[in-house]
mmCIF file of all heavy atoms in Angstrom:
data_model
loop_
_atom_site.group_PDB
_atom_site.id
_atom_site.type_symbol
_atom_site.label_atom_id
_atom_site.label_comp_id
_atom_site.label_asym_id
_atom_site.label_seq_id
_atom_site.Cartn_x
_atom_site.Cartn_y
_atom_site.Cartn_z
ATOM 1 N N LEU A 77 71.663 94.256 114.068
ATOM 2 C CA LEU A 77 72.448 93.232 114.738
ATOM 3 C C LEU A 77 71.925 93.104 116.137
ATOM 4 O O LEU A 77 71.850 94.094 116.868
ATOM 5 C CB LEU A 77 73.929 93.628 114.747
ATOM 6 C CG LEU A 77 74.901 92.690 115.492
ATOM 7 C CD1 LEU A 77 75.057 91.359 114.738
ATOM 8 C CD2 LEU A 77 76.259 93.328 115.660
ATOM 9 N N THR A 78 71.528 91.899 116.509
ATOM 10 C CA THR A 78 70.964 91.662 117.834
ATOM 11 C C THR A 78 71.890 90.766 118.639
ATOM 12 O O THR A 78 72.376 89.754 118.133
ATOM 13 C CB THR A 78 69.578 90.976 117.721
ATOM 14 O OG1 THR A 78 68.701 91.827 116.960
ATOM 15 C CG2 THR A 78 68.968 90.755 119.100
ATOM 16 N N ILE A 79 72.143 91.192 119.866
ATOM 17 C CA ILE A 79 72.942 90.385 120.793
ATOM 18 C C ILE A 79 72.022 90.055 121.981
ATOM 19 O O ILE A 79 71.551 90.950 122.645
ATOM 20 C CB ILE A 79 74.199 91.108 121.281
ATOM 21 C CG1 ILE A 79 75.006 91.653 120.109
ATOM 22 C CG2 ILE A 79 75.046 90.143 122.131
ATOM 23 C CD1 ILE A 79 76.190 92.525 120.523
ATOM 24 N N GLN A 80 71.805 88.772 122.174
ATOM 25 C CA GLN A 80 70.928 88.356 123.287
ATOM 26 C C GLN A 80 71.777 88.019 124.511
ATOM 27 O O GLN A 80 72.923 87.569 124.395
ATOM 28 C CB GLN A 80 70.120 87.117 122.866
ATOM 29 C CG GLN A 80 69.173 87.372 121.726
ATOM 30 C CD GLN A 80 68.427 86.128 121.305
ATOM 31 O OE1 GLN A 80 69.036 85.087 121.039
ATOM 32 N NE2 GLN A 80 67.091 86.193 121.227
ATOM 33 N N ARG A 81 71.187 88.222 125.660
ATOM 34 C CA ARG A 81 71.842 87.848 126.951
ATOM 35 C C ARG A 81 73.296 88.325 126.943
ATOM 36 O O ARG A 81 74.247 87.538 127.087
ATOM 37 C CB ARG A 81 71.767 86.332 127.141
ATOM 38 C CG ARG A 81 70.330 85.779 127.063
ATOM 39 C CD ARG A 81 70.310 84.281 127.294
ATOM 40 N NE ARG A 81 71.146 83.526 126.347
ATOM 41 C CZ ARG A 81 70.780 83.227 125.099
ATOM 42 N NH1 ARG A 81 69.627 83.676 124.610
ATOM 43 N NH2 ARG A 81 71.595 82.531 124.329
ATOM 44 N N THR A 82 73.482 89.615 126.826
ATOM 45 C CA THR A 82 74.812 90.184 126.659
ATOM 46 C C THR A 82 75.750 89.779 127.801
ATOM 47 O O THR A 82 75.322 89.620 128.960
ATOM 48 C CB THR A 82 74.785 91.704 126.597
ATOM 49 O OG1 THR A 82 74.016 92.214 127.677
ATOM 50 C CG2 THR A 82 74.145 92.177 125.280
ATOM 51 N N GLN A 83 77.017 89.605 127.443
ATOM 52 C CA GLN A 83 78.077 89.296 128.388
ATOM 53 C C GLN A 83 79.117 90.405 128.330
ATOM 54 O O GLN A 83 79.201 91.167 127.362
ATOM 55 C CB GLN A 83 78.754 87.949 127.983
ATOM 56 C CG GLN A 83 77.792 86.794 127.879
ATOM 57 C CD GLN A 83 77.205 86.424 129.221
ATOM 58 O OE1 GLN A 83 77.921 86.340 130.195
ATOM 59 N NE2 GLN A 83 75.898 86.233 129.255
ATOM 60 N N GLN A 84 79.956 90.477 129.350
ATOM 61 C CA GLN A 84 80.932 91.550 129.406
ATOM 62 C C GLN A 84 81.910 91.472 128.240
ATOM 63 O O GLN A 84 82.383 92.492 127.729
ATOM 64 C CB GLN A 84 81.681 91.546 130.737
ATOM 65 C CG GLN A 84 80.803 92.018 131.892
ATOM 66 C CD GLN A 84 81.517 92.134 133.198
ATOM 67 O OE1 GLN A 84 82.429 91.332 133.469
ATOM 68 N NE2 GLN A 84 81.119 93.072 134.023
ATOM 69 N N GLU A 85 82.219 90.266 127.746
ATOM 70 C CA GLU A 85 83.137 90.142 126.630
ATOM 71 C C GLU A 85 82.539 90.645 125.313
ATOM 72 O O GLU A 85 83.257 90.758 124.305
ATOM 73 C CB GLU A 85 83.611 88.701 126.443
ATOM 74 C CG GLU A 85 82.531 87.729 126.038
ATOM 75 C CD GLU A 85 82.019 86.913 127.194
ATOM 76 O OE1 GLU A 85 82.080 87.404 128.340
ATOM 77 O OE2 GLU A 85 81.557 85.784 126.960
ATOM 78 N N ASP A 86 81.241 90.972 125.314
ATOM 79 C CA ASP A 86 80.625 91.548 124.129
ATOM 80 C C ASP A 86 80.934 93.042 124.014
ATOM 81 O O ASP A 86 80.660 93.659 122.969
ATOM 82 C CB ASP A 86 79.083 91.378 124.140
ATOM 83 C CG ASP A 86 78.674 89.923 124.187
ATOM 84 O OD1 ASP A 86 79.458 89.058 123.708
ATOM 85 O OD2 ASP A 86 77.579 89.643 124.701
ATOM 86 N N SER A 87 81.506 93.637 125.046
ATOM 87 C CA SER A 87 81.832 95.057 125.005
ATOM 88 C C SER A 87 82.848 95.320 123.893
ATOM 89 O O SER A 87 83.912 94.703 123.852
ATOM 90 C CB SER A 87 82.411 95.510 126.351
ATOM 91 O OG SER A 87 81.466 95.394 127.388
ATOM 92 N N ALA A 88 82.491 96.195 122.991
ATOM 93 C CA ALA A 88 83.322 96.487 121.831
ATOM 94 C C ALA A 88 82.656 97.581 121.026
ATOM 95 O O ALA A 88 81.535 98.024 121.326
ATOM 96 C CB ALA A 88 83.457 95.230 120.953
ATOM 97 N N VAL A 89 83.351 98.020 119.971
ATOM 98 C CA VAL A 89 82.705 98.882 118.971
ATOM 99 C C VAL A 89 82.242 97.998 117.839
ATOM 100 O O VAL A 89 83.013 97.180 117.322
ATOM 101 C CB VAL A 89 83.682 99.958 118.454
ATOM 102 C CG1 VAL A 89 83.024 100.759 117.340
ATOM 103 C CG2 VAL A 89 84.126 100.859 119.576
ATOM 104 N N TYR A 90 80.975 98.138 117.478
ATOM 105 C CA TYR A 90 80.408 97.355 116.377
ATOM 106 C C TYR A 90 80.305 98.269 115.164
ATOM 107 O O TYR A 90 79.598 99.275 115.165
ATOM 108 C CB TYR A 90 79.063 96.795 116.787
ATOM 109 C CG TYR A 90 79.221 95.690 117.812
ATOM 110 C CD1 TYR A 90 79.386 96.000 119.161
ATOM 111 C CD2 TYR A 90 79.286 94.359 117.426
ATOM 112 C CE1 TYR A 90 79.611 95.007 120.104
ATOM 113 C CE2 TYR A 90 79.507 93.355 118.373
ATOM 114 C CZ TYR A 90 79.657 93.687 119.689
ATOM 115 O OH TYR A 90 79.890 92.691 120.620
ATOM 116 N N LEU A 91 81.045 97.897 114.126
ATOM 117 C CA LEU A 91 81.126 98.729 112.913
ATOM 118 C C LEU A 91 80.344 98.078 111.784
ATOM 119 O O LEU A 91 80.419 96.862 111.576
ATOM 120 C CB LEU A 91 82.588 98.884 112.472
ATOM 121 C CG LEU A 91 83.463 99.783 113.361
ATOM 122 C CD1 LEU A 91 84.916 99.536 113.103
ATOM 123 C CD2 LEU A 91 83.135 101.235 113.101
ATOM 124 N N CYS A 92 79.646 98.908 111.059
ATOM 125 C CA CYS A 92 78.918 98.458 109.873
ATOM 126 C C CYS A 92 79.583 99.103 108.658
ATOM 127 O O CYS A 92 80.096 100.220 108.736
ATOM 128 C CB CYS A 92 77.472 98.897 109.983
ATOM 129 S SG CYS A 92 76.446 98.551 108.547
ATOM 130 N N ALA A 93 79.585 98.406 107.540
ATOM 131 C CA ALA A 93 80.121 98.964 106.297
ATOM 132 C C ALA A 93 79.249 98.508 105.158
ATOM 133 O O ALA A 93 78.570 97.466 105.233
ATOM 134 C CB ALA A 93 81.570 98.514 106.073
ATOM 135 N N SER A 94 79.239 99.286 104.080
ATOM 136 C CA SER A 94 78.583 98.824 102.855
ATOM 137 C C SER A 94 79.551 99.030 101.695
ATOM 138 O O SER A 94 80.486 99.841 101.796
ATOM 139 C CB SER A 94 77.274 99.578 102.633
ATOM 140 O OG SER A 94 77.454 100.949 102.414
ATOM 141 N N SER A 95 79.348 98.288 100.623
ATOM 142 C CA SER A 95 80.274 98.393 99.499
ATOM 143 C C SER A 95 79.545 98.816 98.242
ATOM 144 O O SER A 95 78.361 98.521 98.047
ATOM 145 C CB SER A 95 81.064 97.113 99.281
ATOM 146 O OG SER A 95 80.273 96.054 98.889
ATOM 147 N N SER A 96 80.282 99.530 97.416
ATOM 148 C CA SER A 96 79.727 100.224 96.266
ATOM 149 C C SER A 96 79.386 99.246 95.133
ATOM 150 O O SER A 96 80.061 98.232 94.951
ATOM 151 C CB SER A 96 80.709 101.255 95.757
ATOM 152 O OG SER A 96 81.960 100.656 95.439
ATOM 153 N N ARG A 97 78.373 99.627 94.404
ATOM 154 C CA ARG A 97 77.985 98.844 93.229
ATOM 155 C C ARG A 97 79.012 98.976 92.115
ATOM 156 O O ARG A 97 79.298 98.068 91.373
ATOM 157 C CB ARG A 97 76.624 99.338 92.718
ATOM 158 C CG ARG A 97 76.015 98.557 91.583
ATOM 159 C CD ARG A 97 74.715 99.205 91.128
ATOM 160 N NE ARG A 97 73.706 99.154 92.169
ATOM 161 C CZ ARG A 97 72.887 98.131 92.369
ATOM 162 N NH1 ARG A 97 72.958 97.094 91.597
ATOM 163 N NH2 ARG A 97 71.993 98.179 93.322
ATOM 164 N N GLN A 98 79.596 100.163 92.034
ATOM 165 C CA GLN A 98 80.600 100.420 90.989
ATOM 166 C C GLN A 98 81.899 100.839 91.667
ATOM 167 O O GLN A 98 81.864 101.495 92.687
ATOM 168 C CB GLN A 98 80.129 101.545 90.058
ATOM 169 C CG GLN A 98 78.849 101.245 89.306
ATOM 170 C CD GLN A 98 79.035 100.140 88.293
ATOM 171 O OE1 GLN A 98 80.133 99.888 87.847
ATOM 172 N NE2 GLN A 98 77.949 99.474 87.948
ATOM 173 N N PRO A 99 83.036 100.525 91.068
ATOM 174 C CA PRO A 99 84.293 101.009 91.631
ATOM 175 C C PRO A 99 84.297 102.549 91.571
ATOM 176 O O PRO A 99 83.979 103.123 90.561
ATOM 177 C CB PRO A 99 85.368 100.411 90.727
ATOM 178 C CG PRO A 99 84.659 99.903 89.528
ATOM 179 C CD PRO A 99 83.234 99.675 89.894
ATOM 180 N N GLN A 100 84.608 103.150 92.711
ATOM 181 C CA GLN A 100 84.487 104.610 92.775
ATOM 182 C C GLN A 100 85.694 105.235 93.409
ATOM 183 O O GLN A 100 85.578 106.153 94.203
ATOM 184 C CB GLN A 100 83.218 104.984 93.601
ATOM 185 C CG GLN A 100 81.943 104.650 92.931
ATOM 186 C CD GLN A 100 80.732 104.970 93.802
ATOM 187 O OE1 GLN A 100 80.886 105.235 94.984
ATOM 188 N NE2 GLN A 100 79.553 104.930 93.239
ATOM 189 N N GLY A 101 86.870 104.746 93.087
ATOM 190 C CA GLY A 101 88.054 105.361 93.660
ATOM 191 C C GLY A 101 88.339 104.907 95.070
ATOM 192 O O GLY A 101 89.150 105.504 95.755
ATOM 193 N N MET A 102 87.627 103.898 95.520
ATOM 194 C CA MET A 102 87.945 103.332 96.823
ATOM 195 C C MET A 102 88.396 101.899 96.654
ATOM 196 O O MET A 102 88.271 101.087 97.546
ATOM 197 C CB MET A 102 86.723 103.382 97.741
ATOM 198 C CG MET A 102 86.387 104.770 98.194
ATOM 199 S SD MET A 102 85.031 104.799 99.354
ATOM 200 C CE MET A 102 85.690 103.845 100.699
ATOM 201 N N GLY A 103 88.909 101.596 95.478
ATOM 202 C CA GLY A 103 89.228 100.210 95.201
ATOM 203 C C GLY A 103 87.960 99.507 94.718
ATOM 204 O O GLY A 103 86.866 99.920 95.030
ATOM 205 N N LEU A 104 88.174 98.452 94.010
ATOM 206 C CA LEU A 104 87.021 97.734 93.437
ATOM 207 C C LEU A 104 86.086 97.277 94.543
ATOM 208 O O LEU A 104 86.445 96.462 95.392
ATOM 209 C CB LEU A 104 87.532 96.529 92.649
ATOM 210 C CG LEU A 104 86.495 95.774 91.821
ATOM 211 C CD1 LEU A 104 85.918 96.682 90.752
ATOM 212 C CD2 LEU A 104 87.144 94.551 91.174
ATOM 213 N N TYR A 105 84.890 97.845 94.540
ATOM 214 C CA TYR A 105 83.870 97.510 95.528
ATOM 215 C C TYR A 105 84.391 97.698 96.951
ATOM 216 O O TYR A 105 84.205 96.891 97.840
ATOM 217 C CB TYR A 105 83.356 96.072 95.355
ATOM 218 C CG TYR A 105 83.009 95.778 93.926
ATOM 219 C CD1 TYR A 105 83.513 94.663 93.281
ATOM 220 C CD2 TYR A 105 82.182 96.630 93.178
ATOM 221 C CE1 TYR A 105 83.221 94.390 91.956
ATOM 222 C CE2 TYR A 105 81.861 96.363 91.870
ATOM 223 C CZ TYR A 105 82.394 95.241 91.265
ATOM 224 O OH TYR A 105 82.088 94.992 89.955
ATOM 225 N N GLY A 106 85.066 98.838 97.170
ATOM 226 C CA GLY A 106 85.614 99.120 98.496
ATOM 227 C C GLY A 106 84.542 99.510 99.483
ATOM 228 O O GLY A 106 83.431 99.877 99.133
ATOM 229 N N TYR A 107 84.906 99.422 100.723
ATOM 230 C CA TYR A 107 83.970 99.655 101.827
ATOM 231 C C TYR A 107 83.875 101.135 102.203
ATOM 232 O O TYR A 107 84.858 101.860 102.152
ATOM 233 C CB TYR A 107 84.479 99.005 103.116
ATOM 234 C CG TYR A 107 84.347 97.542 103.275
ATOM 235 C CD1 TYR A 107 84.084 96.680 102.226
ATOM 236 C CD2 TYR A 107 84.515 96.987 104.529
ATOM 237 C CE1 TYR A 107 83.998 95.331 102.419
ATOM 238 C CE2 TYR A 107 84.432 95.633 104.757
ATOM 239 C CZ TYR A 107 84.173 94.803 103.692
ATOM 240 O OH TYR A 107 84.095 93.459 103.900
#
Side-chain angles (χ1 to χ4, degrees):
Chain A
L77 176 69
T78 301
I79 309 173
Q80 296 178 308
R81 305 181 302 282
T82 51
Q83 304 294 314
Q84 288 185 327
E85 66 259 28
D86 299 334
S87 296
V89 175
Y90 289 82
L91 289 162
C92 175
S94 64
S95 66
S96 57
R97 184 184 296 274
Q98 298 292 337
Q100 292 177 347
M102 288 184 62
L104 188 63
Y105 312 129
Y107 284 16

